[in-house]
Amino acid sequence: MNDAFHFFTPIKVRFIETDAQGHVNFAHYLAYFDVGLTEYLNALGYSYSNMLADGVDMVYVRSACEYRGPAYFEDVLRIYVRAERIGNTSVTYAFQAVKAATDEVVASGHIVTVTIDRLSKQPIRVPDRLREAILSADK
């Protein structure tokens, strides 16, 4: 496992995610990161459904991806996820997409989320439940 990350989820590349050049189209990596984040939250014990039940939502306000190598149809990728920074209302998550067969990093990136009140849609403090879950998991 990648030493900088304590969590990953596998994703198998589907044919529809590849482009005319035969490799994963760049846009799909952000979708892979989104799947990884959802699974990471589930593993923390504070799923997106729990968040919504608490009256909290999160919005993505920034994303970035660096493409380092190709992945192809039926490659299995390990999507590594960790919380890199917890702010007052935001959390920055780091990601790596790694080929399971070769340990080659094919993409890395970040997503910044802002927690908001579900009704008012205004930014709110990152819930203590989420903060504690992240701090416990990423030790």
Side-chain angles (χ1 to χ4, degrees):
M1 180 181 276
N2 186 319
D3 291 339
F5 294 83
H6 301 281
F7 174 85
F8 76 89
T9 192
I11 290 182
K12 188 172 186 180
V13 175
R14 299 177 302 168
F15 183 76
I16 196 164
E17 296 162 348
T18 62
D19 58 22
Q21 295 169 318
H23 56 73
V24 173
N25 179 273
F26 71 96
H28 288 285
Y29 286 101
L30 292 177
Y32 296 162
F33 294 170
D34 180 66
V35 169
L37 180 53
T38 300
E39 295 303 322
Y40 175 73
L41 293 174
N42 287 339
L44 291 179
Y46 191 64
S47 70
Y48 185 66
S49 296
N50 295 140
M51 191 180 301
L52 295 176
D54 286 348
V56 177
D57 204 345
M58 67 179 182
V59 293
Y60 291 4
V61 297
R62 186 176 308 123
S63 62
C65 186
E66 180 179 334
Y67 308 98
R68 299 173 161 197
Y72 300 97
F73 173 56
E74 294 192 335
D75 278 348
V76 174
L77 302 177
R78 293 187 307 255
I79 307 302
Y80 288 94
V81 184
R82 68 180 165 85
E84 190 169 69
R85 180 185 174 281
I86 305 172
N88 186 39
T89 62
S90 66
V91 181
T92 301
Y93 297 94
F95 301 88
Q96 282 190 344
V98 177
K99 282 187 183 180
T102 63
D103 283 333
E104 176 190 1
V105 177
V106 295
S108 59
H110 296 84
I111 293 175
V112 178
T113 65
V114 170
T115 52
I116 62 171
D117 178 89
R118 279 190 73 191
L119 297 177
S120 72
K121 307 296 185 204
Q122 294 302 305
I124 59 172
R125 179 177 158 76
V126 173
D128 288 337
R129 233 172 112 187
L130 178 57
R131 284 176 188 277
E132 291 165 9
I134 289 170
L135 294 173
S136 295
D138 285 345
K139 287 182 179 178

